Every structure is written in structure tokens, then in C-alpha cells.
Amino acid sequence: MAAAGGGSSCFVLGASGETGRVLLRELLARRAFARVTLIGRRRLSLGEAEAAVEQAVVDFERLGEHAAAFQGHDVGFCCLGTTRAKAGADGFVRVDRDYVAQAAELARAGGCKHFILQSSRGANAQSRFLYLRVKGEVENLVQAVGFDHCTILRPAVLLCRRQESRPMEWIAQQFLGAVARLFPTAYSVPVEMVARAMVACALQPGEGKVKVLENRAIHELGKAVPQQGT
Ligand code: NDP
């Protein structure tokens, strides 16, 4: 896969999370961007990778005061998110919708051309379910920002070895991990596929302003990207 242009720059929101961590690994291994900036609420210990990235620590409740962190990036990746169990309903809305939408606005103002959002299967602003409604709302808000390209990925259940304990998700993963052997693209997707699909979209945004990738398309795109070392 071709690397992005020599002077290109990207930022990642949510790089400490399960998808974001793998995304960062992919970005660095493929040398996809000349400059990679992690924007998060805390500084990450990245070992050897530390020298290869810049980190901007921001207060998401005062994101407007951190416009500089969003300046001068070509592409923005967003893997930010929390859960209702962790943050409560209001906290979930704040993180998954408000923080993301504000970040997208700042990114656009800073010159970002392509915003790549990890949303969710079933996202729908009219849904009765808070999770799906908020995901639908944030998709609409990010699209309305007016990027040259806006890519929205809608993965099904993420398959990963989550560091944080989420018992219900763990049970779903065990079940769906087994089902995935029969129906690999139906109900789940490994985070590696999501990360590779995100990188592929960044490097080849294609035609059109808005692209929505459902779970099957994420699998197809993720599979088409050669694994590192092959
Ligand atoms: P994680 O939950 O593993 O990571 C979330 C990221 O968001 C972390 O970097 C975390 O930072 C950051 N974050 C959380 N709360 C805050 C906050 N209050 N302020 C600032 N940063 C915060 O993400 P996943 O990889 O599991 O998921 C990524 C996205 O995909 C989410 O939007 C999720 O809803 C969506 N999704 C998840 C599915 C699943 O099966 N779990 C299925 C489909 C979509 P920190 O490390 O500092 O906490």
C-alpha cells in the first residue's frame, strides 16, 4: 500500500483504546504519515514508538482552548468512545457525541481534509436506543462539518483482548468469536481489520464527500491491505 505524501500529517483521537492502539501501530509500521499526533486526555507511554509521535494532552471539556493541537493535519482519525456503564448516560453522550463533534469542528478549522470516524453498526439518529441514537447523531454532526472527505466506519462487535473488564462484552466476544469461524463478516470484526480499513481509507479516500463502510465492507477493505511483514 502506498504511503501518504511526504509532508502529510494526521492526528488520532482515542489512541489508548483497543482500536486506537492498533491503528497507531499500523500507522507507524506503514509509515503512512510523516507526522502523527495523538490527541488525548493523558500522555501515553509508548516505549520505542514515543519518538515517532507527538502527543497533545487536552482537556476535552475545554477543547476550544486546544485549537492548536488540531492545526495543520491532513487526516483525523477518531476512535474515541466510552460506555454508559462507565460514564453514565450523560457522560456517554458527552464523549461519544459532543467531544467528537467539537474535535471535528476544530480539525476542519485547522485545515483537516479527511475525517475518519469509528462509529457503530446500527447507528441511527432516530433510534430508540441511546447508544445507536448517539452514534447516528455524531455521524450527522461530523458529516455536516464539511470535510473534503468524511469516512464513517460502522463495525459490529469488536474482537479484541480488552484490557479493561467488560463482562457482557467478553461473553459476546467469546460467542461471536466462535460464530465468526462460520460467518466471519456477519456479527463481529477484529480491531486489526478496522484499523487497517481506516488506514486504507486515509491513503485512498476515493471519490465523493461521504463514505459509510458497514461491517462487511470493513472486512473486505481490511483484508485487502497486506499485513505487515507479508
Ligand atoms: P476503547 O473504549 O478501548 O477506547 C476509548 C478511547 O476513548 C480511549 O482512548 C479513551 O482514553 C478515550 N476516552 C474515553 N473516555 C474519555 C473521556 N472522558 N475523555 C477523553 N477520552 C476518553 O474504544 P474501542 O476501541 O473499544 O471503541 C472505539 C469506538 O468504536 C467507540 O466509539 C465505540 O463506541 C465504537 N464501537 C465499539 C464496539 C464494541 O464492540 N466495543 C462495536 C462498534 C463500535 P483513556 O484511555 O484515557 O480512557
Side-chain angles (χ1 to χ4, degrees), residues 153-169:
L153 292 93
R154 290 182 176 162
V157 173
L158 299 175
L159 297 179
C160 58
R161 293 205 182 138
R162 190 169 292 282
Q163 293 185 345
E164 175 194 333
S165 166
R166 289 187 192 169
M168 293 313 289
E169 186 182 294

Side-chain angles (χ1 to χ4, degrees), residues 43 55 65 83 87 127 158 210 212 222:
R43 195 175 169 81
Q55 298 199 47
E65 294 172 14
T83 61
S127 176
L158 299 175
V210 179
V212 178

